């Protein structure tokens, strides 16, 4: 069974800085089935990226996804105050698996 | 506008069966390609996918919880129901339902999407 690992566990940055979040799979994942979500306290997750690199509807272009095989990256080019949250990667398809999450907090 | 809303008991006792209902609007589960999933999140922990039901009544379950879960749909009521048997305090979590759907990708394959719309979640506590 595939295992998703996210790093770092916590990323402490200032507004305006660049955030780079990693998601690593224990075996190769089709890029078509890799997504990223943002979750703020008390809220449901929000889809940011699907198919490893396609932005979901309404997602600002400061969010970008890349990667293939076992290594995937979510990049936030310049952090806005509303971007401080927890981010999950997900492998989806006939079964679905989420990573443990990366918390992006204010330095 | 697509919306989903979870409902069910806030408190269940250990060994009891939990029944949750996801009521949705803005799409129909009788439409080809539509799917609804259940996902849960224990307090302070990560998301865990539980089950999915497709428009054609195909069902998929988490390997680790398969023996305890049943997912079903009532297309006329726009509802998806999840039952989980033998509840335990470790099942305390916020339970979400979410929509995904099949679509044709650039290569012409009919592939399933990520979860594009989520309900707000319902918190379930398991305690005697």
């Amino acid at each position: 069974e595939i295992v998703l690992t996210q790093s770092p566990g916590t990323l402490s940055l200032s507004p305006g800085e660049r955030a780079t979040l990693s998601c690593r799979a224990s075996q190769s994942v089709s890029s078509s089935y890799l997504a990223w979500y943002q979750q703020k306290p008390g809220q449901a997750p929000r889809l940011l990226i699907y198919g490893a690199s396609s932005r979901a509807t309404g997602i600002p272009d400061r969010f970008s996804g890349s990667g293939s095989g076992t290594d995937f990256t979510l990049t936030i080019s310049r952090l806005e105050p509303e971007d401080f949250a927890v981010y999950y990667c997900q492998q989806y398809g006939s079964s679905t698996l989420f990573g443990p999450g990366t918390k992006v907090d204010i330095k | 506008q697509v919306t989903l809303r979870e409902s069910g008991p806030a408190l269940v006792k250990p060994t009891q069966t939990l029944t949750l209902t996801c009521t949705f609007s803005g799409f129909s589960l009788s439409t080809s390609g539509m799917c609804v999933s259940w996902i849960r999140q224990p307090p302070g922990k990560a998301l865990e996918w539980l089950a999915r039901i497709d428009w054609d009544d195909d069902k998929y379950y988490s390997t680790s919880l398969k023996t305890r879960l049943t997912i079903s749909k009532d297309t006329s009521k726009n509802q998806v129901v999840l039952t989980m048997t033998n509840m335990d305090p470790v099942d305390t979590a916020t339970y979400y339902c979410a929509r995904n759907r099949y679509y044709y990708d650039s290569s012409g394959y009919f592939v399933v999407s990520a979860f594009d719309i989520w309900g707000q979640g319902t918190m379930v506590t398991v305690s005697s």
Side-chain angles (χ1 to χ4, degrees):
Chain A
E1 187 173 281
I2 295 176
V3 175
L4 297 178
T5 304
Q6 290 187 244
S7 61
T10 301
L11 192 55
S12 298
L13 295 168
S14 300
E17 289 192 296
R18 181 184 188 91
T20 302
L21 287 67
S22 172
C23 176
R24 181 161 292 176
S26 58
Q27 54 186 279
S28 186
V29 171
S30 168
S31 296
S32 297
Y33 297 118
L34 195 287
W36 290 91
Y37 297 83
Q38 176 194 67
Q39 188 179 33
K40 297 179 181 178
Q43 296 185 17
R46 177 174 71 143
L47 177 65
L48 299 175
I49 301 288
Y50 65 93
S53 60
S54 297
R55 271 187 301 277
T57 303
I59 302 303
D61 60 7
R62 65 180 181 272
F63 291 92
S64 63
S66 63
S68 64
T70 59
D71 291 297
F72 297 88
T73 300
L74 174 70
T75 301
I76 310 171
S77 58
R78 285 179 56 86
L79 282 164
E80 297 288 340
E82 63 267 27
D83 299 337
F84 292 92
V86 179
Y87 293 83
Y88 294 97
C89 62
Q90 177 207 27
Q91 176 259 322
Y92 57 95
S94 58
S95 68
T96 292
L97 180 65
F98 291 92
T102 290
K103 182 178 182 179
V104 179
D105 66 13
I106 300 176
K107 188 173 182 180
Chain B
Q1 182 188 5
V2 173
T3 64
L4 303 98
R5 185 182 77 250
E6 305 86 353
S7 59
L11 179 66
V12 297
K13 291 181 168 48
T15 76
Q16 287 187 336
T17 294
L18 172 68
T19 300
L20 295 172
T21 301
C22 175
T23 304
F24 55 87
S25 63
F27 70 98
S28 172
L29 254 184
S30 61
T31 300
S32 177
M34 291 296 169
C35 320
V36 171
S37 283
W38 284 94
I39 303 103
R40 71 178 179 180
Q41 185 173 38
K45 296 189 177 181
L47 301 161
E48 179 184 22
W49 174 76
L50 301 176
R52 187 183 98 210
I53 190 164
D54 294 353
W55 81 101
D56 57 1
D57 214 36
D58 276 352
K59 298 162 188 169
Y60 303 86
Y61 294 99
S62 161
T63 303
S64 60
L65 292 167
K66 184 174 184 175
T67 60
R68 299 174 54 204
L69 297 173
T70 303
I71 192 169
S72 62
K73 63 181 172 72
D74 185 331
T75 304
S76 65
K77 293 182 179 179
N78 280 350
Q79 291 181 334
V80 170
V81 174
L82 181 76
T83 62
M84 180 180 292
T85 61
N86 194 24
M87 293 292 286
D88 183 271
V90 300
D91 297 313
T92 294
T94 297
Y95 287 75
Y96 297 98
C97 60
R99 184 191 77 165
N100 56 342
R101 48 190 165 159
Y102 283 81
Y103 65 98
Y104 287 98
D105 69 5
S106 57
S107 300
Y109 291 104
F110 201 42
V111 299
V112 72
S113 75
F115 301 132
D116 58 353
I117 308 291
W118 294 62
Q120 80 237 8
T122 186
M123 178 66 192
V124 177
T125 300
V126 184
S127 175
S128 55

